[in-house]
Amino acid sequence: MESAWPRRRRVLEADIVARTDQLSSGGWACALDRMRPGMRWLGDGRLQVNTYDLPAKDLADAPLLLISSSTRRGWLSSARPHRYAVVYPCSAMLADPSRNPPPEALSRLLGPVRARILTLLDAPKIPTQLVALTGYGFGSVGGHLNVLLQAQLVGRRRSGRSVLHLRAPGGDLLVELTTGCGRRAAAAHPRRRVIDRQD
């Protein structure tokens, strides 16, 4: 189990960074909604933690801890009357780095790490998330991102204090072509504005 700790630590750190970014860009509703099944921010200082028909608890004078876990299920914990915690699972995608391997042709063209990173950027991600998803170090991921940026396969934009990376149109097309969609994917490919890579 000790050998699995470095990967688990990267997963936990990436989830915390992602939640912090959600908090800064969308507030508590964005950060807390769907953190665990049945959990959502109701506004006015109210948080629903499950869907059970139980009376509400007033925690105005007690801290509520939010604890990320690398397990697939979360739970509620309390040490009444002064401590309460919501233990929530990391995002399923972050918790499963083997999900959706890159196409073999793309791996041969770009190399396995760059192909993996390009495939993972179907939605914007910060470098720390990519570190957790790939299992590679921060410097290695940063170096591969720079190569993909220079090749105009990836773009980036700032969100608060974080820098989000996402596939540029050329990267989208390359991934689509190597997954066997061919001309149909190229014809259907939506045009997007290339993001400034000099930022």
Side-chain angles (χ1 to χ4, degrees):
M1 263 331 248
E2 186 177 340
S3 61
W5 176 240
R7 187 191 69 80
R8 287 185 180 215
R9 178 175 178 171
R10 286 192 298 270
V11 169
L12 294 169
E13 287 174 348
D15 188 75
I16 291 168
V17 170
R19 298 283 178 190
T20 303
D21 186 62
Q22 288 174 347
L23 179 61
S24 66
S25 61
W28 282 110
C30 181
L32 297 175
D33 276 359
R34 296 179 301 280
M35 186 177 272
R36 63 183 301 273
M39 184 165 166
R40 64 190 181 101
W41 180 251
L42 301 174
D44 297 324
R46 295 176 304 134
L47 176 66
Q48 175 181 304
V49 294
N50 57 43
T51 55
Y52 300 128
D53 189 17
L54 298 170
K57 291 185 187 284
D58 184 355
L59 304 184
D61 296 326
L64 175 64
L65 301 175
L66 302 173
I67 303 170
S68 59
S69 168
S70 61
T71 61
R72 295 198 180 271
R73 300 184 62 134
W75 61 90
L76 303 174
S77 178
S78 64
R80 294 184 179 95
H82 301 295
R83 290 187 186 157
Y84 297 87
V86 174
V87 180
Y88 66 91
C90 290
S91 154
M93 184 169 61
L94 288 175
D96 186 5
S98 65
R99 196 187 113 177
N100 297 331
E104 185 178 339
L106 189 64
S107 291
R108 287 199 307 267
L109 179 65
L110 299 177
V113 181
R114 288 181 195 146
R116 177 82 173 129
I117 289 172
L118 190 63
T119 304
L120 289 169
L121 290 175
D122 56 338
K125 291 180 180 63
I126 56 177
T128 311
Q129 287 175 294
L130 293 169
V131 168
L133 289 164
T134 62
Y136 289 92
F138 193 85
S140 175
V141 167
H144 289 299
L145 278 172
N146 281 333
V147 172
L148 293 170
L149 283 162
Q150 291 168 10
Q152 299 186 17
L153 298 176
V154 166
R156 65 185 175 193
R157 64 180 168 83
R158 188 166 290 281
S159 174
R161 294 185 177 181
S162 300
V163 177
L164 294 169
H165 290 76
L166 68 160
R167 281 199 305 249
D172 279 339
L173 186 58
L174 187 58
V175 170
E176 290 168 1
L177 290 172
T178 56
T179 57
C181 298
R183 290 183 183 173
R184 185 166 46 84
H189 182 70
R191 296 189 65 83
R192 294 192 310 191
R193 182 174 66 86
V194 176
I195 295 163
D196 181 16
R197 293 175 306 281
Q198 306 303 317
D199 219 353

